[in-house]
Amino acid sequence: MTDTKHSPTTVSNIGVAMFAVADQDAALAFYTEKLGFEVRSDTRFGEHDEMRWLEVAPPGSRARLALNPPMGGEPGGGGIGVETADVLAEHERLSAIGGIDLDPEPMRTPGAPLLFMLRDPDGNHIAVVETPPA
């Protein structure tokens, strides 16, 4: 008999984070048109194709973000962190686009990386964090 309580995990990657959104089309437009993410999956399923699996991601990212209708709750309330080598440039880029709920300026906190927060139209939080130099 195998001792499953002490066996090493077979999980090797966080592949998909999930946000609950009120309107998948509006969320898709926000993530692709405002943030510059790309569509990784947009598939209908269910007996009458009444459901939709929608994933977006920054170009080159292995991890994806699924944009799902709320399941028994309200949209919003989730959070993820994305990384960039230049937080200041990304903050400037997003500020210039407009129509994005983002912090007025990046936060410099001793012991923490430079970062700023933004919120999608449903209130999900995205921390844009500076990657440490290699």
Side-chain angles (χ1 to χ4, degrees), residues 35-126:
L35 300 189
F37 287 22
E38 59 191 21
V39 176
R40 294 290 178 85
S41 178
D42 190 352
T43 307
R44 294 277 177 184
F45 65 99
E47 190 174 334
H48 303 288
D49 285 342
E50 69 276 11
M51 294 180 272
R52 181 181 185 192
W53 183 257
L54 178 60
E55 292 179 353
V56 295
S61 175
R62 286 184 56 207
R64 287 114 37 228
L65 176 60
L67 304 170
N68 303 317
M71 294 181 285
E74 296 293 319
I80 61 169
V82 296
E83 298 175 324
T84 178
D86 192 342
V87 165
L88 298 176
E90 185 63 11
H91 187 272
E92 185 176 315
R93 183 185 81 81
L94 294 173
S95 295
I97 290 171
I100 301 173
D101 178 14
L102 70 154
D103 292 347
E105 62 185 50
M107 296 179 275
R108 295 184 186 273
T109 306
L114 182 64
L115 67 94
F116 66 90
M117 299 292 290
L118 66 96
R119 276 103 2 228
D120 76 5
D122 290 296
N124 294 296
H125 297 265
I126 302 165

Side-chain angles (χ1 to χ4, degrees), residues 18-40:
M18 298 178 203
F19 275 178
V21 299
D23 179 326
Q24 287 179 299
D25 288 324
L28 177 62
F30 175 80
Y31 282 94
T32 58
E33 295 170 16
K34 297 280 189 180
L35 300 189
F37 287 22
E38 59 191 21
V39 176
R40 294 290 178 85

